[in-house]
Amino acid sequence: AAVQSELDRLSGQLHVMGDPSELQAGLERTQDEISTLQSEYDALRLAMDTLTAANSILQNRFSPQLSRRTAELFQELSMGRYTGAALDRSFHLPAQPTGDPLQRDIQLLSAGAADQLYLAARLAICQLVLPEEKQVPIILDDALTNFDDERCAAALRLLKQEAAHRQILVFTCHSRLLAGDPAVTVCHLGNSRSVASEC
């Protein structure tokens, strides 16, 4: 009776587990899926490693050029008040005032100077990344908001130079800063908004 009871128990377990040939087939399918997923993982891991290495090379090669060009444009925009700027890997933008050996974090600059620095960085990225032969336009939305007349004049000089290579669209609610320049076309939109495009 004990043996029969054990036999019945084991038979029940076998019945619950299913047919051994089906279990073997399921095991093989699962092993195939694991193998496929492992191949995909290996390919993704290789792609990630390759992209990380390429990113490091790009940062080492591109960052110095970007920092140098940003500094040149910022010096021009600030009319010589700042001679240095650097964009680090964390995208912090410290600036160096003329005659001062210490760099200042962008948060320590006035709103106008900070916007000049941001504009310089944006233009530097465009100049280094956008191909001139494609003539990709640049669109700026209220980039000159914190500029006084002097800063705005410097920015317009720089934007007009850049407009020799590509169209520049400036969205602003301060059309007075752009009006009166024959090289600038001002288009007024509804609700007192205006668009100025560098042609």
Side-chain angles (χ1 to χ4, degrees):
V3 169
Q4 184 61 48
S5 176
E6 183 64 14
L7 180 60
D8 292 343
R9 188 182 67 78
L10 292 174
S11 295
Q13 284 183 349
L14 284 173
H15 181 71
V16 169
M17 291 173 64
D19 183 20
S21 59
E22 289 181 9
L23 290 173
Q24 183 62 36
L27 176 62
E28 290 172 2
R29 282 194 303 272
T30 302
Q31 288 173 336
D32 288 344
E33 288 176 14
I34 290 173
S35 178
T36 301
L37 290 172
Q38 184 65 47
S39 297
E40 290 178 10
Y41 173 81
D42 292 342
L44 289 171
R45 180 79 264 161
L46 177 62
M48 285 295 295
D49 291 343
T50 303
L51 287 172
T52 300
N55 183 47
S56 179
I57 292 170
L58 182 63
Q59 283 182 336
N60 291 336
R61 191 176 351 172
F62 184 67
S63 290
Q65 292 178 13
L66 181 57
S67 293
R68 183 171 48 256
R69 188 62 187 138
T70 299
E72 292 169 355
L73 293 171
F74 186 43
Q75 183 173 7
E76 190 172 341
L77 278 171
S78 67
M79 293 154 287
R81 292 187 187 104
Y82 292 87
T83 55
L87 187 65
D88 66 19
R89 292 182 181 189
S90 301
F91 297 103
H92 292 123
L93 261 173
Q96 185 173 352
T98 301
D100 190 339
L102 298 176
Q103 291 187 335
R104 294 186 185 161
D105 191 274
I106 194 166
Q107 295 175 345
L108 300 176
L109 302 179
S110 69
D115 280 356
Q116 284 179 313
L117 184 51
Y118 280 130
L119 179 59
R122 280 184 232 153
L123 290 176
I125 290 169
C126 291
Q127 290 174 0
L128 294 173
V129 173
L130 300 178
E132 281 189 26
E133 64 275 8
K134 298 283 186 184
Q135 296 185 335
V136 179
I138 297 174
I139 300 173
L140 301 170
D141 186 12
D142 264 341
L144 314 178
T145 301
N146 293 312
F147 287 15
D148 55 23
D149 290 349
E150 186 180 28
R151 283 187 170 113
C152 191
L156 285 178
R157 281 196 302 273
L158 196 59
L159 290 174
K160 284 196 279 188
Q161 292 171 14
E162 188 64 24
H165 309 290
R166 66 186 90 250
Q167 184 181 34
I168 299 179
L169 302 174
V170 180
F171 289 84
T172 181
C173 58
H174 301 290
S175 58
R176 65 171 180 81
L177 301 174
L178 303 169
D181 190 322
V184 176
T185 301
V186 177
C187 302
H188 294 281
L189 302 177
N191 298 329
S192 301
R193 298 279 315 224
S194 64
V195 166
S197 61
E198 187 77 36
C199 302

